Each structure stands twice: as C-alpha cells, then as structure tokens.
Amino acid sequence: MLLPTDILLVEDNLGDAHLVKSHLRKLQGAHVVHVTRLRDAIALLHERPFDTIVTDLSLPDARGLDAILRLQEAAPDATVVALTALDDEALSLQAVECGAQDYLVKERVDAASLARCLRHARERKRCALRLTELARKDSLTGLANRSGFYERINLAAARARRMERRFAVMFLDLDCFKEINDQHGHDVGDTVLQVVGTRLAGVVREYDAVARLGGDEFAVLLDDLAD
C-alpha cells in the first residue's frame, strides 16, 4: 500500500500508539513521528511540516476538540485525522466541523481501513486548500485579492511582533486608467492590469506579497525588514 507522507502521531497510550504505528509501517513511503503530548506536537510543527497528523482526542494536555483546533492553528495545511476510543457520532461531526478531515474509532481500525482513510482525508484536504487558494486570489491577475492580502498582513504583523522585525505596506493605483478603458476597451485595460501585476511581482522577494485590491488598485507587502 503506497502512501508517501510524513505522519505525526499524537497518542499518549503507548499500546495504542504501537498498534497504529504497526499499521502505518505497512504503508510504503510513510515516515511516522510519535509524540505523547500536544505541546510536543505543536513544537515539532513549528520546526518542520507534516503532511498528516493523526491525533487522539484525550491527551494529557488537551481534551476533546481542543487538540483539533490547536493542531489546525499550528499546521493549517496539514491533514488532521482524529483517532479515538469514543464511538460518538455527534462528536465525530463536531470534529469535522472544527477542521478534522476524518474521525476513526480505534477498535475498528486496521491497516487497510487506516490507509484508505488517510488517502481520502488527504484528498479532501487538497480540495479544501485549493478552494481556499482560489478564494484568496484575484481571477484576472493571479495575485492575491483583498482578502488574501489582509491575511498576509496579519501573519506579517504576528511574525514581526514575535521576531522583533518590521514590515512595510504600499498602496498603488494607475493614473489615467479610466482613459485606457474608455479609449481602447476593457480587454486592453485588463491586459494592462495583468502586465502591471506581473511587473510588480517580478521586483519583490519571493516571501513578499503583491495584491490587486480591485479596479486599478494594487498593494505590496514587504516582509521581514530590519528598518
């Protein structure tokens, strides 16, 4: 069974952890890291990415859906699967609503069902991330839109506070753009916007951000500045 992925297993019951790891070892290409506490999982997620997180809902430092919420916050791009002894339909729905891609009951899990679950969960996460990406992009230029740009600013502000660094935001618009549309048509105006977007994106660093906020309005985020 092929599932090339980095998996973080968060499970404080060593017997259950041993059983799950034995199932996961049958997945070719799967690399499993096991921790017993949520705080250790979050510390690892800040150091390196994981494709998939499999977590119990009853941990020494987290109970119920708190683990799902905190893992999603620490690793928003990772697939999260709840693996618990609680056969509770209402709780399973709440776990999915909180961001988990699936909910498994331990006594019903074997290697085949776990592999199938992880494949399906990963595909659901990919689809969700793709929809989110589209919602944050300007359809004409491919740059970030207003929503995506404000999200990047919030991340930059949080990082600047944590790292004691600075960032800058620039707002730009195009002079006489209405005349271009009036004299040459909206197709030409759209081309101008696309060219401007490409040129702006080409003169910033890859970890900066360029956005089209609407009309002929653009914005640039210059991240991680010393001054």
Side-chain angles (χ1 to χ4, degrees):
M1 290 177 285
L2 182 63
L3 187 72
T5 185
D6 286 326
I7 301 173
L8 177 60
L9 174 62
V10 192
E11 173 61 75
D12 65 312
N13 185 303
L14 297 183
D16 290 341
H18 177 76
L19 181 61
V20 173
K21 285 191 290 185
S22 69
H23 292 330
L24 293 174
R25 289 193 193 102
K26 299 176 183 178
L27 308 178
Q28 296 177 18
H31 176 251
V32 184
V33 176
H34 171 227
V35 295
T36 59
R37 294 177 181 269
L38 181 64
R39 67 172 181 236
D40 296 330
I42 292 175
L44 262 179
L45 291 168
H46 286 160
E47 294 175 2
R48 52 164 293 190
F50 284 86
D51 302 310
T52 302
I53 304 169
V54 179
T55 183
D56 196 351
L57 296 184
S58 297
L59 298 168
D61 52 350
R63 286 290 183 271
L65 302 176
D66 183 47
I68 300 291
L69 293 170
R70 291 167 64 185
L71 289 168
Q72 278 285 292
E73 181 180 1
D77 292 342
T79 301
V80 177
V81 174
L83 182 62
T84 175
L86 301 173
D87 188 359
D88 186 326
E89 184 66 20
L91 182 61
S92 69
L93 291 174
Q94 291 173 357
V96 172
E97 289 171 356
C98 287
Q101 276 64 61
D102 212 334
Y103 180 101
L104 295 177
V105 179
K106 291 179 179 178
E107 64 179 16
R108 299 179 183 173
V109 171
D110 57 22
S113 64
L114 184 57
R116 183 171 59 253
C117 163
L118 295 183
R119 288 193 186 94
H120 292 178
R122 189 61 187 159
E123 189 57 35
R124 283 193 289 272
K125 185 66 176 184
R126 285 196 187 98
C127 291
L129 290 174
R130 178 60 178 160
L131 290 174
T132 300
E133 180 184 4
L134 291 174
R136 295 170 179 163
K137 276 191 173 183
D138 172 55
S139 59
L140 177 64
T141 62
L143 301 174
N145 59 17
R146 185 181 298 269
S147 175
F149 189 67
Y150 287 170
E151 184 173 312
R152 283 293 306 272
I153 289 177
N154 288 332
L155 291 173
R159 184 163 50 247
R161 286 191 294 268
R162 186 172 67 252
M163 306 298 293
E164 297 185 351
R165 302 283 286 182
R166 299 180 181 181
F167 66 94
V169 178
M170 299 187 293
F171 292 92
L172 308 90
D173 61 10
L174 305 184
D175 293 340
C176 305
F177 182 70
K178 183 176 183 301
E179 295 178 12
I180 294 175
N181 279 334
D182 291 343
Q183 295 179 18
H184 303 284
H186 288 279
D187 287 345
V188 172
D190 287 350
T191 300
V192 170
L193 294 173
Q194 291 169 336
V195 170
V196 169
T198 299
R199 290 184 179 181
L200 288 173
V203 296
V204 300
R205 299 161 301 179
E206 62 180 29
Y207 53 85
D208 295 326
V210 179
R212 178 179 173 233
L213 303 183
D216 66 341
E217 297 178 338
F218 292 84
V220 178
L221 167 67
L222 301 176
D223 202 359
D224 191 27
L225 302 178
D227 198 357

